[in-house]
Amino acid sequence: MNQQTPVNQQTPETIDLSASFKAYDVRGIVGETITEETVRATGAAFVDVLGLTGQTVLVGGDMRPSSPAFAKAFADGAATRGADVQLLDLISTDELYFASGTLNAAGVTFTASHNPAEYNGIKMSRAGAVPVSSESGLTEIRQAAEQYLVAGTVEAVERRGVIGLSDVLPDYAAYLRSLVDLSGIRPLKVVVDAGNGMAGMTTPAVLGDAMLPALPLTLVPLYFELDGSFPNHPANPLEPENLADLQAAVVDHGADLGLAFDGDADRCFVIDETGAPVSPSAVTGLVARREIARAQAAGEEHPVIIHNLIASRAVPELVEREGGRPVRTRVGHSFIKAVMASEGAVFGGEHSAHYYFRDFFNADTGMLAAMHVLAALGEQDRPLSELGAEYEPYVSSGEINSTVEDKAGAVDRVRADLAGDDVTVDELDGTTFSAADGSWWFNLRPSNTEPFLRYNGEAADRALMEQVRDRVLALVRA
């Protein structure tokens, strides 16, 4: 006899899933826009929409206090609809991608990445680590979950799925070690700021000797304790103030470099021995050079490297010099992963410090990018400040947000002001203006969720960068 699993003890009007289902994932405030009831319904909908009855679904979560209960609720909803569930317990987001890729199974992880402690969310993947976004099933999952909430129950299929428990961390660590050999590099001292996030668990497993033989690395841990309340600083290295502790520690310990991970450890930021940040575009260039050389050695004539449109122009220039083929794409992991797959790209990088690898199922992993940086630094004798300078020939503005209600009008003002100049314009993602002589470029990109117009620019020198930046921002904010 079929059993009914209750999913909602509240009236449907109190649940608004559109507030938590975003373009690429689910993210909301615990107890308000994301609850155990909505998660249970989402687990059932995930199985229905992706056709996973009778198949294995992987479910894990980060160190946020709500993640274990959410993972169990999702597993219950999925099992009720006939999927066999493997609970992965505590995992980083790239651990989920590893498990999804190696086991060829769909899965989810509960995380809100760099968001504050009161948030949680769901990142979803089809089998093979193929992303689920609003354009590839996430909207349908939301709609199906809402129907379950309105009904008040999830109807059980004839064969309820079985829920088990797996640990993928040892295999994940061994797999990353197989991709980048660090055993022969010169000894390096590395400060790692885990931000109380999942890198506090994955770093000792991959770079330390917790599970595998020791590497020539001396690790100096900062905030490795898993704590979803983030007692030391937000787990968002994109904000400069959150790097201050790491920068100070690198200098104080005389370290060769520092690594900072976000809460779910899928992004990695790099600090050189002077305490200065190495831009994600420079890291993209460094890793691209290594991956091009490796692919060429394996017989690929022109390996493809993906870069998003706000990455430094130094990236495609380097790729072409090294014999690769650069492909420019929109901002956002689902776009990058789709182009990685369609182009057969060996590597892709975003200026937000997401790094994608063909050998990692076209998915992003901050740890693997960090290993490439360690390898590049440890294979030669120069400090990272000198090595990194090779990959940063231009001066970047960084991302600057302007609060603008009429975003299109602001862009039109800029377009009109530059109409008499020798400038090219394209609209791949937002609007990018480029000087014909290559001396500067900038992109204006509207936020989908906030009244922000985002400015990213770059120029041949600081004075020119500031001149273009100030001219454009004055028009945007007029």
Side-chain angles (χ1 to χ4, degrees), residues 7 34-41 69-70 73-74:
V7 296
I34 180 170
T35 67
E36 288 186 39
E37 290 76 21
T38 66
V39 165
R40 186 173 288 106
F70 282 169
F74 188 99

Side-chain angles (χ1 to χ4, degrees), residues 402-445:
S402 299
T403 301
V404 180
E405 292 300 332
D406 183 7
K407 302 168 192 173
V411 174
D412 287 342
R413 288 194 297 274
V414 174
R415 192 191 303 269
D417 187 74
L418 293 174
D421 296 354
D422 194 2
V423 172
T424 60
V425 181
D426 77 67
E427 298 185 10
L428 174 64
D429 188 0
T431 308
T432 301
F433 300 82
S434 305
D437 64 3
S439 60
W440 58 262
W441 67 268
F442 66 87
N443 171 267
L444 292 171
R445 188 166 52 90

Side-chain angles (χ1 to χ4, degrees), residues 258-416:
L259 303 173
F261 293 89
D262 63 351
D264 61 337
D266 62 349
R267 287 189 297 162
C268 179
F269 291 74
V270 181
I271 302 297
D272 71 23
E273 82 286 354
T274 72
V278 180
S279 88
S281 286
V283 173
T284 296
L286 182 152
V287 179
R289 172 175 277 170
R290 291 175 52 83
E291 287 289 74
I292 288 170
R294 186 180 61 80
Q296 288 173 335
E300 284 187 59
E301 188 173 0
H302 299 294
V304 174
I305 302 293
I306 307 297
H307 62 99
N308 71 6
L309 82 166
I310 61 173
S312 171
R313 293 293 164 85
V315 172
E317 291 171 358
L318 177 146
V319 170
E320 290 179 344
R321 285 198 307 271
E322 297 295 319
R325 179 167 68 88
V327 174
R328 182 168 170 261
T329 186
R330 296 171 62 183
V331 172
H333 78 97
S334 65
F335 301 118
I336 293 274
K337 289 174 181 175
V339 179
M340 287 281 293
S342 65
E343 293 282 355
V346 66
F347 171 68
E350 289 193 279
H351 198 65
S352 58
H354 283 281
Y355 305 105
Y356 307 79
F357 296 84
R358 183 170 64 195
D359 286 346
F360 201 76
F361 319 102
N362 294 324
D364 43 326
T365 165
M367 187 63 73
L368 184 53
M371 294 172 73
H372 275 283
V373 173
L374 291 168
L377 180 60
E379 290 166 358
Q380 49 88 67
D381 295 328
R382 291 174 299 162
L384 184 55
S385 58
E386 290 185 19
L387 178 64
E390 293 181 9
Y391 300 92
E392 296 191 66
Y394 305 119
V395 179
S396 170
S397 67
E399 185 163 274
I400 302 171
N401 290 325
S402 299
T403 301
V404 180
E405 292 300 332
D406 183 7
K407 302 168 192 173
V411 174
D412 287 342
R413 288 194 297 274
V414 174
R415 192 191 303 269

Side-chain angles (χ1 to χ4, degrees), residues 108 127 168 425:
V108 305
V168 299
V425 181

Side-chain angles (χ1 to χ4, degrees), residues 102-325:
T102 55
L103 301 175
N104 197 34
V108 305
T109 183
F110 283 86
T111 179
S113 186
H114 60 276
N115 281 89
E118 63 268 25
Y119 284 81
N120 209 332
I122 317 172
K123 291 186 177 180
M124 303 182 184
S125 172
R126 295 175 184 265
V130 175
V132 177
S133 70
S134 60
E135 298 179 353
S136 58
L138 191 57
T139 299
E140 291 78 9
I141 292 169
R142 174 180 64 80
Q143 292 168 342
E146 288 172 340
Q147 291 176 4
Y148 280 127
L149 290 166
V150 169
T153 60
V154 171
E155 182 178 353
V157 298
E158 184 173 350
R159 175 198 171 275
R160 177 183 170 87
V162 176
I163 299 176
L165 183 65
S166 297
D167 181 8
V168 299
L169 183 59
D171 289 342
Y172 160 84
Y175 184 72
L176 290 183
R177 287 267 193 113
S178 76
L179 297 179
V180 178
D181 183 6
L182 296 174
S183 61
I185 64 172
R186 64 182 170 94
L188 297 174
K189 181 181 285 189
V190 188
V191 183
V192 180
D193 185 346
N196 298 111
M198 290 310 303
M201 185 182 80
T202 59
T203 299
V206 179
L207 301 181
D209 58 0
M211 294 181 173
L212 297 168
L215 296 169
L217 301 173
T218 299
L219 298 179
V220 180
L222 282 184
Y223 314 136
F224 272 33
E225 304 78 17
L226 301 184
D227 188 339
S229 69
F230 306 114
N232 294 289
H233 62 70
N236 182 11
L238 193 60
E239 298 297 333
E241 61 267 24
N242 296 329
L243 293 173
D245 290 353
L246 175 61
Q247 291 171 301
V250 167
V251 175
D252 290 347
H253 287 274
D256 295 286
L257 76 163
L259 303 173
F261 293 89
D262 63 351
D264 61 337
D266 62 349
R267 287 189 297 162
C268 179
F269 291 74
V270 181
I271 302 297
D272 71 23
E273 82 286 354
T274 72
V278 180
S279 88
S281 286
V283 173
T284 296
L286 182 152
V287 179
R289 172 175 277 170
R290 291 175 52 83
E291 287 289 74
I292 288 170
R294 186 180 61 80
Q296 288 173 335
E300 284 187 59
E301 188 173 0
H302 299 294
V304 174
I305 302 293
I306 307 297
H307 62 99
N308 71 6
L309 82 166
I310 61 173
S312 171
R313 293 293 164 85
V315 172
E317 291 171 358
L318 177 146
V319 170
E320 290 179 344
R321 285 198 307 271
E322 297 295 319
R325 179 167 68 88

